[in-house]
Amino acid sequence: MIRHIVFFSVKEGQDIDVVREGLERLKAIPHSDVFEVLPNSKVDPMCDRIDLVVYGEFKDEAALFAFKADPIYAATTQYVRPMREMRFSADVETLLGGTV
């Protein structure tokens, strides 16, 4: 199983809810087993610059690549990019909760 985790910060003057709604368009892509767009709780003062977290679980790399190849992914990226400040992502393979 591949866990895809992306951290976003929203540019000053941009509406976090608009960015979140934009990112939630990715839920329409059928290749993920789990997909969430969540606000950062900002409980940890060391990570208060992150506004949104995208979390997805994929059966394997092929499913993740298919997700990223979907036209909805490209359109969403184009829509959200001008409103975000930072974007950090990680794709990690795990044996927990899946078969690898």
Side-chain angles (χ1 to χ4, degrees):
M1 177 176 62
I2 306 291
R3 291 183 179 164
H4 176 66
I5 307 162
V6 186
F7 298 94
F8 287 92
S9 66
V10 176
K11 283 184 180 176
E12 188 173 329
Q14 297 295 320
D15 188 331
I16 191 171
D17 291 326
V18 171
V19 176
R20 183 178 183 180
E21 290 168 8
L23 291 168
E24 286 179 342
R25 296 175 184 178
L26 298 170
K27 290 180 179 180
I29 302 172
H31 303 287
S32 62
D33 297 323
V34 173
F35 189 86
E36 299 177 301
V37 179
L38 305 165
N40 181 13
S41 64
K42 298 188 180 182
V43 173
D44 184 341
M46 299 293 288
C47 70
D48 65 344
R49 293 180 61 199
I50 301 301
D51 297 309
L52 296 168
V53 178
V54 171
Y55 176 81
E57 293 181 359
F58 298 85
K59 180 177 73 172
D60 52 27
E61 281 187 3
L64 177 59
F65 291 148
F67 175 83
K68 290 183 176 185
D70 191 287
I72 294 171
Y73 184 88
T76 300
T77 299
Q78 185 175 15
Y79 176 75
V80 170
R81 184 176 286 140
M83 295 183 280
R84 68 166 165 83
E85 187 73 33
M86 292 186 300
R87 179 191 181 275
F88 298 100
S89 68
D91 298 310
V92 294
E93 191 169 348
T94 180
L95 295 174
L96 300 175
T99 57
V100 176

